[in-house]
């Protein structure tokens, strides 16, 4: 209950994909493995930080991947906020594909690779996650973060597939639309 004249504040979630990483430019599938930001990745994060400068960020959350944590640190700038690192915010677990070059995966697992990009709702990983599993974990994490920060502005840095799966859920779209444009480029920003 709010006092007379007091306005209820809306919860705002700023979701960013991490900056460009070394494996992004090498064409390697990262999944839950890690590679550091490139110089361009640092610059992308610095540019986005300027856009966030006027936002009253209440809390910051990040995937535990160093590329996401580093991006979060840059986005926060001079704000003295702890970064809540959560495994639930990590990228889809790609199992045996992680660290492999995209073209090698396409050659060795043509049907699975095609399903990953063209029929994500049917994709079955050999030893990682499905998009259904990713979405369930992502939505659970986001709902918890929103509940814990009701009425405030929150910064969250994660990964492309995580963000797309989350947006599908909150926009009421089925998983087969996951990769429909726009693609979450490095430092893409969703509110």
């Amino acid at each position: 209950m709010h006092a007379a004249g007091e306005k209820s504040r809306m919860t705002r979630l700023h979701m960013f994909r991490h900056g460009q990483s070394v494996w992004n430019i090498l064409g390697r599938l990262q999944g839950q493995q890690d590679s550091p930001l490139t110089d361009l990745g640092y610059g992308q994060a610095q540019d986005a930080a300027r856009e966030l400068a006027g936002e009253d960020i209440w809390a910051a959350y990040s995937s535990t991947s160093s590329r996401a944590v580093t991006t979060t640190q840059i986005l926060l700038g001079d704000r003295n906020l702890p970064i809540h690192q959560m495994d639930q915010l990590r990228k889809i677990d790609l199992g045996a594909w992680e660290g492999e070059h995209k073209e090698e995966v396409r050659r060795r697992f043509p049907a699975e690779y095609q399903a990953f990009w063209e029929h994500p709702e049917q994709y079955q990983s050999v030893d990682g996650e499905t998009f259904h599993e990713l979405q369930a974990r992502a939505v659970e994490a986001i709902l918890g973060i929103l509940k814990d920060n009701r009425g405030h502005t929150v910064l969250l840095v994660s990964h492309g597939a995580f963000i797309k799966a989350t947006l599908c859920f909150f926009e009421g779209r089925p998983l087969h639309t996951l990769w429909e444009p726009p693609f979450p480029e490095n430092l893409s920003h969703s509110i």
Side-chain angles (χ1 to χ4, degrees), residues 26-191:
L26 293 178
R28 294 200 172 281
L29 296 170
Q30 293 175 110
Q32 296 191 357
Q33 289 190 25
D34 217 350
S35 79
L37 294 182
T38 62
D39 289 342
L40 176 60
Y42 279 97
Q44 291 168 330
Q46 290 164 345
D47 290 345
R50 285 189 279 282
E51 293 175 28
L52 272 185
E55 291 289 334
D56 184 20
I57 304 294
W58 169 263
Y61 292 82
S62 174
S63 157
T64 54
S65 298
S66 70
R67 61 193 184 271
V69 174
T70 302
T71 301
T72 308
Q73 291 167 336
I74 296 168
L75 289 172
L76 283 174
D78 293 335
R79 295 177 186 91
N80 189 20
L81 288 175
I83 299 172
H84 303 282
Q85 296 180 39
M86 297 174 60
D87 284 337
Q88 279 182 289
L89 304 180
R90 292 184 76 141
K91 187 170 183 165
I92 189 169
D93 181 351
L94 295 174
W97 292 9
E98 294 190 6
E100 297 294 323
H101 194 279
K102 291 176 188 177
E103 293 308 316
E104 178 64 14
V105 171
R106 183 192 319 243
R107 186 186 66 73
R108 290 180 45 218
F109 304 96
E112 293 88 348
Y113 191 82
Q114 182 178 12
F116 184 90
W117 291 109
E118 296 177 21
H119 303 286
E121 77 286 1
Q122 297 172 13
Y123 168 71
Q124 294 294 317
S125 174
V126 176
D127 57 353
E129 282 181 301
T130 67
F131 283 105
H132 294 281
E133 292 165 330
L134 169 66
Q135 187 178 57
R137 133 170 101 79
V139 169
E140 178 183 29
I142 297 294
L143 291 176
I145 289 168
L146 294 175
K147 180 181 176 194
D148 291 346
N149 296 283
R150 192 169 282 129
H152 296 286
T153 299
V154 177
L155 169 64
L156 183 148
V157 179
S158 189
H159 308 272
F162 177 98
I163 292 168
K164 290 295 279 187
T166 301
L167 292 176
C168 275
F169 176 84
F170 286 104
E171 293 171 352
R173 293 185 295 111
L175 271 177
H176 75 266
T177 66
L178 183 97
W179 294 121
E180 287 182 0
F183 185 80
E185 300 294 338
N186 295 114
L187 260 297
S188 64
H189 182 194
S190 303
I191 303 173

